[in-house]
Amino acid sequence: MEAMEVVIEDQGQLKKKLTITVPNTEVKAAYDKVYHSLKGKVKVKGFRPGKMPQAMMEKRFKRHMAEEAMETLVPEYYQKAMEQEKLVPAIRPVYNDLEIDKSSPLVFSATVEVWPEVKLPKADKFKLKKTEIKASKDEIETQLTRHLERYATFAEKTDAAADGDRVTISFTGATEDGHDVSQPDHHYVIGSKQFIPEFEEALAGMKAGDKKEFDAMLPADHPKEEFRSKNAKFHVDMTLVESRKLPEIDDEFLKNYEGSAATKTEFNKLVKDEVIQIKEQRESADLRADLRDQITSSLKFEVPGTLLTQEIEFQTTQIQRNDEKIEGKELTKKAEEDAVKALRFIRFIQVYQENANIEVGQEEVYNRFSMNAQMLGMNPIELAQNEQGRAFYEDTWQMVLEEKVLDHLAAQVAEKPATKPAAKPAKKAASKVKEESAK
């Protein structure tokens, strides 16, 4: 049996040109397959359906059959060649010399950039340290209050707004460069710290019917780029002030937690467990971030040129979005450094996943995708149907994979917190010792 032949030409910067020869027997088999798939579909005068001879069909539908055979053979043998030569593609290949003749072998070329061989650093190269996680009284009280606030009741008051009161306001405003930041009929709880401090201070002490004007600096991490670190002038109308009353933890309140907590003791345990879970999630995120920094610092391999160019463009945009002051050579240097680190880390994740057989379930990815979409005010089903949504889904899949890989590695290298030795029993009083001795 004839074998496929592969000749590799190294074109530098991880670019390879593969010249692949597909045996003539495979070319004929591809034509036969195309013929059998077509013969029942084409109608030619003088022949019953499916009875047109193959030689005649190949002559009459020469171009179509050649294209069909090519579409079958080229990707299949490109994949076989990459596997045979143990090459991992970084980008899609560019095919050339795509000419086919049933009477001879198919010889075509594929130019592609590949990943270099990556040897994973040994796990003991990384150092992480876990902390002992406990729930303090203040943390439990804060979490408990959050639960109570969900079921709070409100009553209109005529006094000035104070911490804990809910106010209804309408405000108009504009940034120094003219961007509108107005909002009508907005409910806000004083002291919730959802607004910037200047806004909080302005609302405290106002009564229903009061108006106030003030200036404030919008935060640098504002969700909308055009508002970041911008001075704005506000005019606020307060239309309603309501006092807040938190519910008692009684049987009526516990109906809201049916199946989770039937008693006050069980509810308190639920709250404490939530605090610990939140802190564990934060610690996991911190450990991942620490581990990621250690990984990127340890990787030194070359990255494919085309991917690097694309990633530099992306990183440049990200840097400028976060810090408009970086420009020129400083911007170029940082974008290149960040791009190389990002690409090396991505490849590390891929190799680690393969070596450790880590799987990413479609259900967990979709659940995360759906949650993120809803947080952005989007319908996940509708979002998944457009190109932007599909890219968002791919990003979500990559995020879930990274977390699973980092958690898997962290479980091996993280030092567990030292446990305190059990307290020694108190020494018996001298009189008690003497008494025992006398027995």
Side-chain angles (χ1 to χ4, degrees):
M1 183 177 179
E2 296 178 85
M4 169 186 68
E5 294 181 7
V6 181
V7 177
I8 301 177
E9 179 186 336
D10 189 348
Q11 298 187 338
Q13 293 187 322
L14 300 175
K15 183 182 287 188
K16 310 284 184 181
K17 180 180 180 181
L18 283 68
T19 301
I20 303 166
T21 301
V22 181
N24 184 231
T25 53
E26 296 300 314
V27 176
K28 289 178 179 178
Y31 267 86
D32 292 345
K33 187 176 180 181
V34 175
Y35 167 69
H36 288 297
S37 69
L38 281 178
K39 67 179 183 178
K41 301 176 183 177
V42 298
K43 293 181 180 181
V44 180
K45 189 175 181 180
F47 295 94
R48 285 181 295 162
K51 297 299 181 179
M52 185 178 186
Q54 183 170 343
M56 189 175 290
M57 184 178 287
E58 289 173 2
K59 185 175 181 180
R60 185 158 188 165
F61 299 100
K62 180 179 180 180
R63 182 175 178 180
H64 176 78
M65 292 191 72
E67 289 176 351
E68 287 287 317
M70 189 83 72
E71 287 182 9
T72 299
L73 292 169
V74 170
E76 177 185 348
Y77 277 85
Y78 162 74
Q79 185 64 35
K80 287 182 178 179
M82 294 295 283
E83 291 174 359
Q84 175 180 298
E85 303 302 323
K86 295 181 172 54
L87 297 175
V88 180
I91 61 173
R92 291 181 178 179
V94 175
Y95 296 118
N96 284 299
D97 309 317
L98 299 178
E99 296 291 335
I100 191 169
D101 187 324
K102 184 182 177 181
S103 62
S104 59
L106 167 63
V107 182
F108 70 96
S109 66
T111 303
V112 63
E113 290 180 18
V114 299
W115 287 104
E117 183 180 358
V118 177
K119 292 184 179 179
L120 298 181
K122 292 183 178 179
D124 60 11
K125 184 179 181 66
F126 307 114
K127 303 295 181 184
L128 295 174
K129 191 170 184 179
K130 286 189 172 184
T131 57
E132 187 177 3
I133 294 178
K134 295 181 178 180
S136 69
K137 289 183 179 179
D138 287 345
E139 290 169 336
I140 293 173
E141 187 64 32
T142 299
Q143 184 67 6
L144 187 146
T145 301
R146 291 193 184 106
H147 280 275
L148 298 180
E149 286 173 343
R150 296 174 192 170
Y151 304 99
T153 56
F154 295 88
E156 185 175 353
K157 61 181 279 190
T158 56
D159 295 342
D163 271 6
D165 289 344
R166 184 173 70 179
V167 298
T168 303
I169 58 173
S170 293
F171 62 88
T172 57
T175 62
E176 56 194 282
D177 50 0
H179 289 290
D180 181 70
V181 288
S182 303
Q183 190 168 352
D185 299 323
H186 182 76
H187 296 298
Y188 186 74
V189 176
I190 304 292
S192 62
K193 299 181 180 179
Q194 299 300 306
F195 279 168
I196 53 178
E198 297 93 331
F199 216 118
E200 282 264 5
E201 292 171 8
L203 296 179
M206 291 181 68
K207 298 180 180 180
D210 285 353
K211 304 176 185 296
K212 185 177 285 188
E213 289 188 352
F214 59 93
D215 294 336
M217 172 72 77
L218 298 177
D221 59 351
H222 196 286
K224 293 188 176 181
E225 186 177 350
E226 62 268 26
F227 294 153
R228 293 174 187 166
S229 301
K230 297 292 176 64
N231 284 309
K233 184 178 289 294
F234 293 95
H235 176 90
V236 177
D237 292 325
M238 185 168 289
T239 56
L240 180 65
V241 178
E242 297 171 291
S243 60
R244 179 184 64 176
K245 183 179 180 181
L246 299 181
E248 297 291 330
I249 305 175
D250 52 21
D251 290 343
E252 187 64 27
F253 172 78
L254 290 172
K255 287 180 182 179
N256 297 304
Y257 296 84
E258 189 173 356
S260 300
T263 65
K264 185 173 182 179
T265 299
E266 290 178 355
F267 176 71
N268 288 335
K269 182 179 184 305
L270 179 148
V271 172
K272 180 180 179 180
D273 289 345
E274 284 180 344
V275 172
I276 292 175
Q277 183 181 31
I278 291 170
K279 295 180 76 172
E280 286 176 342
Q281 290 172 345
R282 287 175 183 164
E283 184 187 55
S284 293
D286 291 341
L287 290 175
R288 289 188 206 115
D290 187 357
L291 189 52
R292 177 171 183 151
D293 289 342
Q294 293 184 49
I295 290 169
T296 53
S297 297
S298 69
L299 302 175
K300 304 299 179 185
F301 56 86
E302 186 181 3
V303 296
T306 299
L307 279 186
L308 180 58
T309 299
Q310 295 171 352
E311 187 66 23
I312 288 173
E313 291 179 1
F314 173 76
Q315 294 293 340
T316 299
T317 302
Q318 293 296 103
I319 294 168
Q320 289 177 318
R321 180 176 296 170
N322 296 326
D323 190 348
E324 297 176 352
K325 296 178 181 179
I326 298 181
E327 55 186 14
K329 291 182 179 180
E330 183 183 3
L331 173 61
T332 301
K333 182 181 179 182
K334 180 167 176 53
E336 289 178 354
E337 290 175 350
D338 290 354
V340 170
K341 287 181 179 180
L343 291 175
R344 285 173 176 167
F345 180 73
I346 288 172
R347 185 57 187 152
F348 171 90
I349 293 294
Q350 293 169 344
V351 175
Y352 193 101
Q353 179 197 16
E354 294 167 4
N355 290 0
N357 294 317
I358 294 175
E359 296 183 0
V360 177
Q362 291 296 331
E363 184 177 354
E364 61 182 324
V365 175
Y366 182 77
N367 289 341
R368 180 80 67 89
F369 169 80
S370 180
M371 179 184 70
N372 291 341
Q374 290 171 1
M375 288 174 63
L376 295 171
M378 300 179 182
N379 183 312
I381 297 176
E382 294 177 358
L383 181 60
Q385 294 173 351
N386 60 52
E387 187 175 347
Q388 179 186 3
R390 287 190 287 273
F392 185 39
Y393 186 91
E394 286 299 317
D395 290 342
T396 304
W397 186 91
Q398 181 66 27
M399 185 186 305
V400 173
L401 172 60
E402 287 182 11
E403 289 180 3
K404 291 175 82 76
V405 166
L406 293 174
D407 287 345
H408 187 275
L409 181 54
Q412 300 176 56
V413 303
E415 296 179 17
K416 295 181 179 179
T419 55
K420 294 181 180 179
K424 294 181 179 180
K427 293 182 179 180
K428 296 179 181 179
S431 60
K432 182 73 174 176
V433 175
K434 289 180 181 178
E435 183 181 320
E436 292 294 328
S437 301
K439 290 180 179 179

